Amino acid sequence: MSPIVVIGSGLAGWTVVRELRKLTKEAPIVLICADAGDFYSKPMLSNALAQNKTAAQLVTTPAAKMAEQLGITLLPRTRVEAIDRERKRLITSAGEQSYSALVLALGADPIRLPLGGDAAEDVLSVNDLDDYARFRRAVAGIASKGRIAIIGAGLIGCEFANDLAVAGYAISVYDPTTYPLSSLLPEAAGRSLMAPLAAVGVDWHFGRSVRAVDHQGTAFQLSLDNGTTQLADLVLSAVGLRPRTALAKTAGLEVNRGIVTDAHLRTSDPAIYALGDCAETSGAVRPYVLPIMHSARALARTLMSDPTAVAFPAMPVVVKTPARPTAVAMAAKDAQGVWEIIESETGIKATFSDANGKLLGFALTGSHTDERMALAKLLVVA
Ligand code: FAD
């Protein structure tokens, strides 16, 4: 019998295998991944530098050990190039592989801005262990008080800014919006990150886009939309992630922002499932750790002939900016409501409620982050 095949060795891929093994010791499982397959915690990538961690030190369990412990066949450094849905076979860089059920856990690609300049290709982004190793080598190559430019003041940009500033680098952050985390937080909460991060060494440039990056001796020159230029020793792009959908799209699966699945994580092909950063489940992409854990548990049961819909509880996200602790639980995209904002010396508590006073989302900074579990219990989940 053909195995269950999982593509991807990120948190989504490995967690679904782990959950499957809790239910069956016998079912043959093959995991294919383009990377080395080592198990690591991706959220560590944006706060590992100040702790002086190497990429190897971020690996919690090496790939071969994961495969042995879980009793699966691992095909690392193997790229899946196409899915032949009719024959239930994958075309990979190492030959063909048949499947009985297929799980897509493909993750997301960092968005690359269309930058001009002769150094646009040297702008780094960090989305996996190989990227982190490259980034760390580049950081090691600049002086200890070197200048690092970060493009993007979203979650990943702010986390890197805090971490690198604490590590002693001079950080400049460029973003066309007007305050940090503007897609996650109401303005008062977002703005409350600015002074604490500035105090650890972050220089904010809001309302500014980077147009081009050029070599300037051993440094880089950033050309901004207002015609000015800035110098940096390293440029990091953190402008968001885009679900990896190309493989699914070419195979004729339904794709929207992510690979479309129902609540059973099933794609438009009943033998193919998707979860994690590549998936759009019940209308939303949820590119965070907790939704993956819930999805993996439900999917393992479904794959073992116990159809189980995933139910997502309230899942607040903690932003790793220790200079200004922040936690957020986003309301559904189309939710109607109003923000109530309580501002104190020690932080901000912003709650988003509907006309009946039901709590739909919140954003907390500073000391108010202590209230996140209590508030999460009150959240009405769509
Ligand atoms: P990935 O980990 O990206 O794995 C994708 C896998 O698919 C890889 O193994 C890749 O090689 C493989 N693959 C892709 N295409 C192919 C192909 N064609 N053939 C073979 N293999 C393929 N979330 C939180 O909840 N809290 C946080 O604090 C947090 N911090 C973060 C910090 C950073 C810097 C980043 C980047 C993300 C953070 N996240 C955080 C998000 C969270 O880490 C992700 O949601 C999660 O790790 C995604 O896991 P995944 O398995 O879906 O994707």
Side-chain angles (χ1 to χ4, degrees):
M1 187 187 137
S2 293
I4 296 171
V5 176
V6 176
I7 312 176
S9 66
L11 197 69
W14 278 125
T15 308
V16 83
V17 172
R18 260 200 192 126
E19 292 297 328
L20 272 168
R21 275 293 174 252
K22 288 181 192 165
L23 304 176
T24 169
K25 297 278 173 266
E26 288 82 38
I29 302 174
V30 173
L31 188 146
I32 306 176
C33 53
D35 53 19
D38 296 324
F39 187 75
Y40 73 107
S41 164
K42 185 178 286 207
M44 287 289 293
L45 294 178
S46 50
N47 66 349
L49 213 113
Q51 296 171 37
N52 203 18
K53 297 244 192 217
T54 62
Q57 285 169 328
L58 292 181
V59 172
T60 42
T61 315
K65 190 149 185 213
M66 287 294 288
E68 191 196 317
Q69 280 173 355
L70 294 166
I72 67 158
T73 304
L74 175 71
L75 304 177
R77 301 276 180 214
T78 303
R79 180 160 286 282
V80 176
E81 283 152 4
I83 306 168
D84 180 342
R85 288 166 51 202
E86 220 154 88
R87 293 191 305 140
K88 290 195 171 175
R89 291 184 82 79
L90 301 175
I91 292 76
T92 84
S93 53
E96 291 200 7
Q97 170 68 53
S98 65
Y99 62 85
S100 55
L102 177 63
V103 177
L104 305 176
L106 304 168
D109 278 318
I111 294 172
R112 301 287 292 183
L113 292 175
L115 293 172
D118 63 15
E121 291 300 311
D122 295 314
V123 172
L124 300 176
S125 40
V126 179
N127 185 40
D128 58 32
L129 278 179
D130 292 342
D131 289 344
Y132 178 76
R134 208 170 302 123
F135 171 66
R136 204 170 176 277
R137 275 196 303 277
V139 171
I142 65 178
S144 65
K145 296 283 176 220
R147 300 154 298 182
I148 299 181
I150 298 177
I151 307 176
L155 182 133
I156 293 173
C158 286
E159 292 187 350
F160 271 110
N162 196 149
D163 196 53
L164 292 166
V166 168
Y169 298 93
I171 307 302
S172 298
V173 179
Y174 301 88
D175 195 296
T177 66
T178 51
Y179 63 93
L181 302 170
S182 60
S183 62
L184 297 178
L185 303 183
E187 184 158 355
R191 280 194 183 281
S192 82
L193 272 86
M194 288 174 70
L197 270 85
V200 295
V202 178
D203 186 17
W204 300 106
H205 298 259
F206 283 104
R208 284 283 76 84
S209 305
V210 178
R211 289 275 161 82
V213 181
D214 286 279
H215 291 287
Q216 174 80 265
T218 57
F220 297 105
Q221 177 179 277
L222 285 78
S223 300
L224 308 182
D225 58 342
N226 63 350
T228 62
T229 58
Q230 301 275 339
L231 288 176
D233 301 299
L234 191 153
V235 187
L236 180 68
S237 172
V239 295
L241 296 168
R242 187 176 287 129
R244 288 191 180 115
T245 56
L247 188 65
K249 196 171 181 181
T250 312
L253 298 176
E254 189 186 345
V255 160
N256 188 30
R257 242 200 92 211
I259 302 167
V260 171
T261 84
D262 60 15
H264 290 84
L265 291 317
R266 189 178 280 125
T267 69
S268 52
D269 179 329
I272 305 180
Y273 301 81
L275 82 165
D277 283 10
C278 67
E280 180 175 326
T281 299
S282 307
V285 176
R286 299 173 181 83
Y288 299 104
V289 170
L290 281 177
I292 290 176
M293 309 312 273
H294 289 280
S295 299
R297 231 167 282 146
L299 178 54
R301 289 205 196 98
T302 297
L303 288 167
M304 288 294 101
S305 307
D306 172 18
T308 304
V310 60
F312 296 112
M315 297 175 288
V317 174
V318 174
V319 185
K320 300 184 293 297
T321 46
R324 183 59 152 181
T326 300
V328 58
M330 275 167 291
K333 221 174 28 205
D334 51 357
Q336 300 290 318
V338 286
W339 282 105
E340 185 190 349
I341 296 183
I342 299 168
E343 216 164 332
S344 72
E345 294 238 316
T346 56
I348 284 189
K349 174 178 177 180
T351 48
F352 186 76
S353 309
D354 69 9
N356 300 317
K358 290 201 169 110
L359 185 67
L360 304 178
F362 60 77
L364 308 169
T365 71
S367 60
H368 288 290
T369 51
D370 293 349
E371 295 172 54
R372 75 175 187 281
M373 297 319 287
L375 280 177
K377 287 190 186 137
L378 301 176
L379 271 179
V380 175
V381 182

